[in-house]
């Protein structure tokens, strides 16, 4: 037997990236089918441990941030990152990070300054994914097909025909869709079939990783617990993540270049990293060994088929930017695809995803790899006297702790990676003569330069600017006397959703230095000025992807060459 289905968008893969795209598309009125090979409720592997601030902004917009905040570690469990000679040994330094109970109210320290309504959240994927799944499953317009494997597909001018298999019954499935998105992981079938090839650094490092249960470990700690604890000694260095804050843990044993997963005794390495003796009891739940890579696909699209997340890029998860980069992909693609399917955007809007995300992916993956190499150098250069007693050993530990803090505070309080990146070669953005400000992993300068993240400000009534921007375009107006009627009329002519958000004189004056800033649905600046452009229709054609590569309007547009 063969079942036939029809949908606007088929998403292959029901992990966090695929489910996030599904939710956003459905909330924009686009019906979606998600095909996932796992059983309903089957947990993912224990990998992602961090949701970035930018990702939490996405989840806030989708209405699931509050539920995510209530999941994961206990509310009062410290989210700190600690550095010790072993997990149960002497502490070298600590990066203070607020527990989730204090996340919105904590002040002081390196991780409380976030210019956003949603700072980061430490949560393992085994707790995160069920929350997202439940929210997606309850969203009108989303249909999730568990135990469904998509085997292949064929494209034509109007859509995609995918074939799949029900893994429980063996039944064949046919799905006709307008577009298909591959969120099917590092071994992506979709990536392979569209002819995209990964390139970069195939092996940055190998990690022998073990998910285990040890109820007694908390009682052996000499210091306050931490979300992440890095152990550095001359015998074996690694790090430990608290999973449930009670008895389950994930330990990473970083292998040397000449070691393999099987050549290092797992039990010895785990005990050495923890600093426990032969009588310490623990239970291995799963082995989660992995290879850190820096690989980026050479294209993210073939006509009506796109790839997102690990299907399009793989890198060592420094700064937690594996899943989070995939979520950034998801929101970039989702609104542009919805705009086209809603009928108000031109075909050029579909070119923006690869034009914007591929360069950023390459850039951020370099940040992650370089940081991983710097950490590797620290692990391999652990001073011989780091565990020596007396003043000499104390001096060594103090210096090591300071170096560890200074290097790693960049990745655990990484404002630059969250908010500093910009799109500088987009077909949808009307650029001016000003260059975006440079950024590092940790630092950035909020800016209204087109292509940058729309700067967040708190409004005088206590609301976040992001909560009032809406799901379409928004004209952020600093001076209410500036007439925006021509721009609104041009948007209305082509059905582009656009609203006006007026700032009070005291709101955002330090960063909103133009009278008008046009913010996209994904909170990136599309244009700015002190008055409406001379040709508002041309600007609208630019932002809705209705201009050809020459800068001229396409057939469907009535506007002429852009002049803004």
């Amino acid at each position: 037997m063969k079942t036939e289905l029809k949908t606007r968008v088929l998403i292959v893969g029901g992990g966090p990236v695929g489910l996030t795209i599904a939710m956003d598309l459905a909330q924009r009125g686009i019906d979606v089918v998600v095909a996932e090979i796992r059983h309903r409720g089957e947990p993912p592997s224990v990998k992602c441990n961090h949701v970035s601030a930018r990702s939490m902004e996405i989840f806030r917009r989708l209405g699931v941030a509050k539920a995510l905040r209530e999941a994961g570690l206990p509310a009062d469990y410290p989210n700190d990152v600690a550095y010790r000679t072993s997990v149960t040994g002497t502490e070298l330094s600590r990066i203070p990070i607020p527990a989730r109970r204090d996340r919105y109210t904590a002040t002081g320290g390196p991780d409380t300054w976030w210019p956003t309504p949603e700072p980061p959240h430490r949560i393992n994927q085994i707790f995160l994914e069920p929350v997202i799944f439940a929210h997606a499953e309850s969203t009108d317009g989303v249909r999730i097909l568990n135990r469904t494997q998509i085997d292949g597909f064929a494209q034509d001018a109007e859509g995609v025909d995918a074939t799949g298999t029900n893994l429980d019954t063996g039944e064949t499935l046919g799905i006709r869709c307008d577009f298909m998105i591959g969120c099917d992981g590092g071994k992506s079938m979709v990536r392979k079939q569209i002819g995209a090839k990964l390139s970069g650094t195939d092996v940055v490092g190998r990690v022998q990783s073990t998910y285990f249960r040890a109820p007694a470990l908390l009682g052996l700690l000499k210091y306050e617990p931490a979300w992440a604890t890095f152990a550095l000694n001359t015998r074996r260095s690694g790090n430990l993540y608290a999973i449930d804050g009670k008895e389950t843990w994930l330990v990473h044993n970083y292998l040397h270049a000449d070691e393999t997963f099987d050549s290092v005794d797992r039990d010895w390495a785990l005990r050495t990293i923890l600093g426990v003796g032969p009588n310490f009891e623990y239970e291995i739940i799963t082995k989660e060994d992995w290879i850190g890579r820096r690989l980026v696909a050479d294209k993210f699209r073939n006509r009506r088929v796109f790839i997102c997340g690990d299907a399009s890029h793989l890198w060592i998860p420094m700064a937690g930017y594996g899943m989070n980069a995939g979520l950034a992909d998801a929101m970039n693609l989702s609104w542009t695809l919805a705009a086209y399917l809603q009928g108000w955007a031109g075909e050029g809007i579909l070119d923006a995803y690869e034009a914007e995300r591929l360069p950023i992916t390459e850039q951020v993956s370099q940040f992650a790899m370089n940081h991983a190499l710097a950490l590797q150098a620290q692990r391999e250069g652990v001073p011989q006297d780091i565990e020596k007693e007396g003043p000499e050993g104390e001096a060594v530990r103090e210096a090591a702790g300071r170096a560890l803090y200074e290097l790693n505070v960049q990745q655990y309080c990484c404002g630059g990676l969250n908010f500093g990146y910009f799109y500088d070669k987009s077909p949808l953005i009307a650029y001016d003569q000003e260059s975006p400000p440079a950024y590092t992993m940790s630092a950035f300068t909020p800016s209204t330069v087109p292509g940058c993240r729309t700067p967040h400000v708190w409004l005088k009534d206590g609301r976040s600017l992001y909560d009032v921007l809406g799901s379409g375009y928004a004209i952020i107006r600093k001076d209410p006397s500036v007439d925006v009627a021509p721009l609104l009329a041009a948007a209305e002519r082509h059905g582009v959703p656009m609203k006006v958000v007026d700032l009070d004189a005291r709101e955002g004056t330090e960063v909103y230095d133009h009278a008008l800033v046009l913010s996209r649905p994904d909170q990136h600046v599309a244009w700015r000025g002190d008055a409406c452009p001379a040709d508002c229709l041309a600007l609208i054609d630019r932002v809705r992807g209705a201009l050809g590569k020459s800068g001229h309007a396409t057939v469907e547009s009535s506007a002429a060459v852009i002049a803004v």
Side-chain angles (χ1 to χ4, degrees):
M1 294 181 61
K2 183 175 182 179
T3 300
E4 299 286 349
L5 297 176
K6 191 172 183 180
T7 187
R8 303 303 301 276
V9 178
L10 169 63
I11 298 170
V12 183
V17 175
L19 292 173
T20 299
I21 297 177
M23 288 187 289
D24 191 67
L25 283 171
Q27 289 187 15
R28 296 178 188 277
I30 309 300
D31 67 281
V32 179
V33 166
V34 180
E36 167 57 45
I37 62 174
R38 286 174 293 161
H39 290 278
R40 184 180 183 277
E42 182 179 341
S45 61
V46 186
K47 43 185 180 180
C48 171
N49 285 287
H50 171 71
V51 185
S52 72
R54 194 69 167 129
S55 295
M56 288 304 294
E57 290 177 350
I58 293 170
F59 290 134
R60 182 185 183 99
R61 205 155 65 246
L62 295 174
V64 71
K66 185 176 185 296
L68 283 175
R69 291 278 181 200
E70 294 173 352
L73 293 169
D76 60 349
Y77 194 93
N79 280 191
D80 300 353
V81 179
Y83 297 89
R84 299 173 184 160
T85 55
S86 69
V87 171
T88 59
T90 302
E91 190 153 297
L92 307 170
S93 59
R94 176 181 288 248
I95 300 171
I97 297 173
R100 64 181 176 89
R101 176 195 60 194
D102 307 319
R103 215 0 153 169
Y104 293 118
T105 57
T107 59
D111 197 65
T112 61
W113 62 278
W114 295 91
T116 173
E118 292 293 346
H121 180 42
R122 267 71 187 177
I123 179 174
N124 190 272
Q125 193 165 329
I126 63 171
F127 300 115
L128 174 141
E129 195 169 304
V131 175
I132 298 175
F133 183 93
H135 196 74
E137 192 176 43
S138 66
T139 301
D140 290 341
V142 175
R143 181 177 181 182
I144 302 173
L145 304 178
N146 285 106
R147 299 294 290 156
T148 299
Q149 176 176 289
I150 301 300
D151 303 310
F153 59 90
Q155 300 189 62
D156 56 44
E158 283 77 41
V160 182
D161 287 301
T163 57
T165 305
N166 183 307
L167 296 176
D168 290 331
T169 67
E171 182 182 15
T172 301
L173 178 69
I175 303 177
R176 175 68 176 180
C177 56
D178 295 323
F179 292 93
M180 188 170 87
I181 306 172
C183 302
D184 50 342
K187 298 179 180 179
S188 171
M189 173 277 294
V190 179
R191 181 187 68 238
K192 294 171 184 175
Q193 191 164 332
I194 69 171
K197 300 187 185 317
L198 294 172
S199 63
T201 305
D202 192 49
V203 179
V204 178
R206 291 182 174 84
V207 182
Q208 190 189 65
S209 188
T210 309
Y211 177 38
F212 67 101
R213 180 175 288 104
L217 184 55
L218 268 178
L220 298 178
L221 303 181
K222 299 176 183 176
Y223 304 89
E224 186 178 37
W227 161 68
T229 304
F230 283 69
L232 288 98
N233 57 62
T234 56
R235 301 176 303 285
R236 181 59 49 167
S237 294
N239 62 293
L240 178 81
Y241 290 99
I243 302 302
D244 67 355
K246 300 172 184 175
E247 62 178 16
T248 56
W249 314 84
L250 182 68
V251 67
H252 292 336
N253 168 29
Y254 295 96
L255 301 180
H256 300 306
D258 60 345
E259 295 175 337
T260 66
F261 293 124
D262 297 326
S263 68
V264 177
D265 183 272
R266 189 180 298 265
D267 176 73
W268 168 82
L270 185 146
R271 292 181 186 278
T272 304
I273 291 167
L274 297 184
V276 297
N279 294 327
F280 177 77
E281 295 183 358
Y282 68 93
E283 171 198 354
I284 293 179
I285 301 172
T286 56
K287 298 176 182 179
E288 302 282 347
D289 301 346
W290 52 277
I291 298 175
R293 311 179 188 276
R294 195 201 71 81
L295 298 173
V296 180
D298 58 354
K299 61 180 178 181
F300 289 0
R301 175 194 176 198
N302 181 323
R303 294 180 290 160
R304 289 179 170 267
V305 180
F306 299 81
I307 53 175
C308 268
D310 286 353
S312 55
H313 44 69
L314 292 164
W315 58 59
I316 196 162
M318 294 296 106
Y321 247 70
M323 179 195 73
N324 292 293
L327 293 175
D329 294 343
M331 297 311 294
N332 183 284
L333 176 58
S334 178
W335 79 267
T336 53
L337 195 55
Y340 182 79
L341 290 170
Q342 289 164 349
W344 58 264
E347 287 191 14
I349 204 167
L350 301 178
D351 297 328
Y353 171 61
E354 183 177 294
E356 294 182 357
R357 291 303 303 168
L358 203 157
I360 291 301
T361 298
E362 186 71 31
Q363 191 176 95
V364 173
S365 71
Q366 291 284 359
F367 270 120
M369 185 179 73
N370 291 340
H371 195 84
L373 294 174
L375 278 174
Q376 179 180 320
Q378 280 192 332
R379 288 194 301 268
E380 294 176 352
V382 175
Q384 290 295 320
D385 293 336
I386 198 163
E387 295 178 287
K388 186 177 181 179
E389 295 184 2
E392 187 176 341
E394 290 176 5
V396 169
R397 287 188 288 275
E398 182 181 355
R402 186 167 54 250
L404 286 162
Y405 181 96
E406 291 173 355
L407 175 65
N408 288 287
V409 73
Q410 301 174 57
Q411 69 155 323
Y412 289 111
C413 309
C414 52
L417 284 191
N418 274 266
F419 304 135
Y421 69 85
F422 47 82
Y423 301 135
D424 59 356
K425 296 179 178 64
S426 173
L428 307 183
I429 292 174
Y431 296 102
D432 53 29
Q433 302 305 309
E434 188 175 346
S435 298
Y439 70 99
T440 66
M441 181 178 278
S442 59
F444 82 109
T445 302
S447 175
T448 62
V449 170
C452 292
R453 168 185 177 259
T454 302
H456 175 267
V457 296
W458 290 104
L459 305 180
K460 65 178 183 180
D461 60 6
R463 291 181 300 167
S464 161
L465 172 64
Y466 281 12
D467 291 341
V468 302
L469 291 180
S471 61
Y473 276 90
I475 304 170
I476 301 171
R477 183 167 60 174
K478 188 173 74 169
D479 183 354
S481 69
V482 177
D483 183 18
V484 295
L487 192 52
L488 291 172
E492 184 178 10
R493 176 169 176 172
H494 289 294
V496 177
M498 187 175 293
K499 66 185 293 188
V500 179
V501 175
D502 283 326
L503 296 180
D504 183 89
R506 295 164 292 176
E507 297 168 341
T509 55
E510 68 284 352
V511 64
Y512 281 91
D513 50 359
H514 287 66
L516 306 175
V517 171
L518 183 61
S519 180
R520 303 194 322 185
D522 62 347
Q523 281 84 57
H524 278 266
V525 176
W527 168 86
R528 63 181 180 173
D530 288 319
C532 284
D535 191 340
C536 290
L537 281 172
L539 175 58
I540 293 302
D541 281 335
R542 167 70 70 189
V543 301
R544 71 186 187 93
L547 289 180
K549 294 181 180 178
S550 64
H552 289 73
T554 55
V555 175
E556 69 199 86
S557 170
S558 60
V561 180
I562 189 166
V564 297

